[in-house]
Amino acid sequence: MKIIFIPDTHFGFEDKKAIKKVIALVKKEKPTHIVQAGDLLDLYSFSRYEKSANITNPQSELREGLKRATKFWKNLKKAAPKAKCFQLIGNHEDRLNKYVARNAPELEGMVSIVEMLQFKGVKTLESSRDHLILDGIVFTHGHYTKLGDHAKFYRKPCAHGHSHKVGIWYEKTVDGLIWEMDCGHLADEKSLPLQYTQSKFSKWTKAVGIIENKQPRLVILE
């Protein structure tokens, strides 16, 4: 089994060159499984944080983000037609439902980002709280910041996105060796919606994770 784990793309504000590199990598590696980590969309317009109305608006961002995400999955399927594909849900996808809950609670239940994230030949998980297990490895969007904490929590090898950083952590246990791989991101960090780090310099890294024969490796796309 060879699994390609694609981290946060933040469509609407993605790095187009990095996206092209991912498609080429998938075509070259011929994975049996493809998993996207969540934060497929950015949904900047629905954020509870301060934002500029000069960049986009909710309707345009959602429409354009879904258009680019659909094209992305179509190209991935074309690059690896036999691969089984999975879409996780991230905290940025949660922005839409939280926005509705804050501003139009009467529409809650009528608006679902998960229903919008349905792509041909791709299984989409139901919630950002869900995780996927393939070949004994946990795939999750991520919720901890310290590398190793997800593997310790699940007590299994684990791959995640969320932090936009990269790294591989190992620990030997009585049940064997477990590891955790933080797989970076594929967003355009120069775009205003991604400029929420304390400094213009960040430790964010564009990368993709590959797990083959249950062993992790990172492909850096910088």
Side-chain angles (χ1 to χ4, degrees), residues 17 20 40 46 55 67 138 143 173 179 182 191-192 221:
K17 290 183 179 179
K20 289 181 180 179
L40 183 72
F46 299 93
I55 295 179
K67 178 182 176 181
V138 174
H143 45 276
T173 73
W179 51 261
D182 194 343
S191 64
L192 181 59
L221 302 176

Side-chain angles (χ1 to χ4, degrees), residues 128-146:
S128 61
R129 300 180 68 219
D130 289 338
H131 62 271
L132 174 71
I133 298 180
L134 295 173
D135 205 20
I137 300 161
V138 174
F139 295 87
T140 179
H141 174 65
H143 45 276
Y144 293 120
T145 56
K146 184 179 178 181

Side-chain angles (χ1 to χ4, degrees), residues 103-114:
N103 298 285
E106 65 276 9
L107 298 180
E108 192 173 5
M110 298 175 62
V111 178
S112 171
I113 188 64
V114 173

Side-chain angles (χ1 to χ4, degrees), residues 90-216:
N91 58 294
H92 277 251
E93 277 80 38
D94 284 341
R95 284 178 167 180
L96 176 59
N97 291 342
K98 289 180 178 180
Y99 181 89
V100 170
R102 287 194 307 270
N103 298 285
E106 65 276 9
L107 298 180
E108 192 173 5
M110 298 175 62
V111 178
S112 171
I113 188 64
V114 173
E115 291 181 4
M116 298 179 191
L117 296 177
Q118 300 297 321
F119 309 100
K120 186 176 181 180
V122 180
K123 179 177 175 55
T124 301
L125 273 63
E126 294 295 322
S127 165
S128 61
R129 300 180 68 219
D130 289 338
H131 62 271
L132 174 71
I133 298 180
L134 295 173
D135 205 20
I137 300 161
V138 174
F139 295 87
T140 179
H141 174 65
H143 45 276
Y144 293 120
T145 56
K146 184 179 178 181
L147 186 62
D149 281 354
H150 292 89
K152 292 176 183 177
F153 176 78
Y154 290 109
R155 297 179 181 271
K156 290 179 181 292
C158 182
H160 66 90
H162 184 58
S163 76
H164 295 189
K165 299 177 183 178
V166 296
I168 301 178
W169 169 95
Y170 294 90
E171 182 171 281
K172 188 175 183 180
T173 73
V174 292
D175 297 318
L177 189 69
I178 61 173
W179 51 261
E180 176 174 322
M181 180 164 60
D182 194 343
C183 297
H185 75 108
L186 298 170
D188 177 10
E189 67 269 36
K190 293 181 181 179
S191 64
L192 181 59
L194 276 296
Q195 292 180 21
Y196 46 76
T197 55
Q198 293 178 334
S199 167
K200 286 186 177 180
F201 171 76
S202 76
K203 294 183 179 180
W204 293 359
T205 304
K206 295 181 182 71
V208 167
I210 299 179
I211 300 97
E212 188 171 10
N213 298 321
K214 297 187 177 183
Q215 298 302 312

